[in-house]
Amino acid sequence: MTATPPDLKLAQRRVEALVRAGDVRALRELRDVLRAAQHRRKVTNTAVRYLNDPVAFSREVIRWGPDESLAPYQEDTMAALPVKRRVAVRGPHGLGKSATAAITVLWFATTREAAGLDWKVITTASAWRHLAVYLWPEIHKWSRRIRWDVLGRPPFTIHELLALNLKLSEGAASAVASSKPELIEGAHADSLLYLIDEAKIVQDGVWDAIEGAFSGGRTEGYPEAFALAISTPGAPIGRFYDIHMRKPGLEDWFVRHVTLAEAVAAGRISQAWADQRRKQWGADSALYANRVLGQFHASDEDSVIPLAWVEAAVERWHEWDAAGLPSCPAAATSASTSPAPAATPPCSPRGSGRRLRVWRATTARTR
């Protein structure tokens, strides 16, 4: 004979007492309470079953259009995360890296929230603009495609999903500048996810701060930590490159190189586009190797200032320009961990206008 759960026994006794008392109104109220509790239990069980299965989440919770789905390599990436814990992916431009990152953030946040776990997601990138212009708008986009009826909760409110944050009852996802590893190191929760976008030139201090979350060495149970690093490759330097080269001490990262052939087969990249870029940039160029083949490569012109450093400096200029061309604080003009200081636009009050015009003209010729 199956034992009756204690909470159900209490409910039965209360119902019997209300029936004897003839309190119809109280009976209806109790009925509504029990139905709501049953619904919450069902919802929690539904969401929690995706806790360690981001691929099932993407297939069943995300609303896809006709002939739409994740590419096989995107599913490989997401499937590896709960198992390998640290995942680094490189590949050509146009793979759908931002979509993979956004759906991963939404999977992690909603399933941990449903399970009642204390959770946190830290998103960072080589340039703040990648977070503000690419990653977080992508998170907003994919949140609008969540099948909330399947997930069993109402859509995010305007107070929960903000421009660069997602704040729920049990945890939050936030954007953090990669120039401030101390903020990344200060993240604590029972369930942590680090998302590193355009990881190829993220400074070593950020990687070291993230590694601190794995110090407990747990592969099961809580606290738990995960890291997903995604990027087109650049010059053969930096921690992202070292991870993909399986350098000593970094073997615990699962690495995935998405090839041009895979991207073409998935319909993400046109073979005609790839062929044209080969003619335009040259088969031996860094641009072709990085952006079309998804390979680490540095050409002769990269030997002094790597292309990725120049791109990062241009991104910082966009941020500075959007901020109204403020004067540089002392910290910004001193030697820093940011790459390519010589390519950073001048922002000293004295003579800055003339140098800015010269810098703009120079960068215009390089585009």
Side-chain angles (χ1 to χ4, degrees):
M1 188 180 211
T2 304
T4 305
D7 56 343
L8 187 54
K9 284 184 177 180
L10 288 172
Q12 287 173 341
R13 285 199 293 268
R14 187 175 176 191
V15 168
E16 291 168 359
L18 291 172
V19 168
R20 286 194 298 270
D23 192 339
V24 177
R25 181 178 177 182
L27 277 169
R28 287 174 178 168
E29 290 176 353
L30 179 59
R31 177 200 63 191
D32 293 341
V33 169
L34 291 174
R35 283 179 177 174
Q38 184 180 26
H39 175 69
R40 283 195 300 273
R41 191 178 298 111
K42 180 180 179 182
V43 163
T44 299
N45 291 339
T46 300
V48 169
R49 74 186 179 92
Y50 299 119
L51 196 68
N52 295 307
D53 196 347
V55 174
F57 176 92
S58 68
R59 290 175 178 172
E60 299 171 15
V61 178
I62 298 298
R63 183 180 294 104
W64 299 95
D67 301 321
E68 283 187 334
S69 67
L70 288 178
Y73 56 79
Q74 290 175 303
E75 291 195 348
D76 289 348
T77 297
M78 296 178 73
L81 191 58
V83 179
K84 303 297 184 179
R85 301 295 176 112
R86 302 172 182 85
V87 177
V89 182
R90 77 183 193 270
H93 178 77
L95 288 181
K97 294 185 290 293
S98 294
T100 303
I103 294 172
T104 299
V105 169
L106 292 168
W107 155 74
F108 191 88
T110 55
T111 56
R112 270 63 188 170
E113 182 73 16
L117 291 171
D118 170 33
W119 62 273
K120 195 175 266 86
V121 177
I122 301 298
T123 62
T124 192
S126 57
W128 182 257
R129 196 161 172 264
H130 282 292
L131 300 174
V133 178
Y134 302 115
L135 178 59
W136 275 90
E138 196 77 4
I139 291 172
H140 281 251
K141 166 191 163 182
W142 287 101
S143 73
R144 294 191 291 271
R145 299 182 69 169
I146 289 177
R147 297 175 60 193
W148 299 103
D149 57 324
V150 175
L151 195 57
R153 61 151 289 156
F156 299 137
T157 69
I158 58 172
H159 303 293
E160 290 177 328
L161 183 55
L162 308 174
L164 296 171
N165 299 89
L166 173 61
K167 297 182 179 180
L168 303 179
S169 298
E170 305 296 335
S174 306
V176 177
S178 63
S179 59
K180 297 180 179 179
E182 67 277 5
L183 298 181
I184 295 173
E185 189 174 16
H188 298 285
D190 289 338
S191 191
L192 268 171
L193 169 65
Y194 294 96
L195 194 291
I196 310 108
D197 196 15
E198 284 306 310
K200 59 180 174 283
I201 50 173
V202 169
Q203 58 177 291
D204 286 357
V206 171
W207 296 97
D208 294 335
I210 290 171
E211 193 55 47
F214 293 88
S215 59
R218 286 179 178 269
T219 56
E220 294 182 357
Y222 303 97
E224 61 180 4
F226 306 89
L228 174 60
I230 304 180
S231 186
T232 53
I237 55 173
R239 186 69 61 85
F240 188 66
Y241 168 75
D242 291 345
I243 288 170
H244 280 269
M245 295 300 105
R246 316 290 294 163
K247 297 230 175 146
L250 299 171
E251 301 90 348
D252 43 10
W253 280 83
F254 173 81
V255 298
R256 179 74 159 84
H257 172 214
V258 181
T259 66
L260 172 61
E262 287 180 286
V264 170
R268 297 296 195 269
I269 294 177
S270 160
Q271 184 63 55
W273 175 85
D275 293 341
Q276 283 298 110
R277 300 294 74 76
R278 187 176 187 274
K279 294 176 183 176
Q280 178 186 2
W281 294 330
D284 297 326
S285 70
L287 278 173
Y288 182 74
N290 299 161
R291 298 183 182 180
V292 180
L293 299 181
Q295 296 282 20
F296 292 97
H297 182 73
S299 58
D300 291 341
E301 58 266 30
D302 282 337
S303 59
V304 177
I305 302 177
L307 174 64
W309 288 18
V310 176
E311 291 174 339
V314 172
E315 288 292 343
R316 289 197 300 275
W317 181 85
H318 280 298
E319 295 167 20
W320 177 67
D321 189 41
L325 315 182
S327 299
C328 283
T333 56
S334 63
S336 69
T337 53
S338 299
T344 303
C347 48
S348 167
R350 181 177 299 174
S352 62
R354 179 177 178 275
R355 288 197 298 275
L356 175 60
R357 287 192 294 273
V358 172
W359 190 88
R360 277 178 167 158
T362 303
T363 54
R365 288 196 296 270
T366 64
R367 292 181 182 177

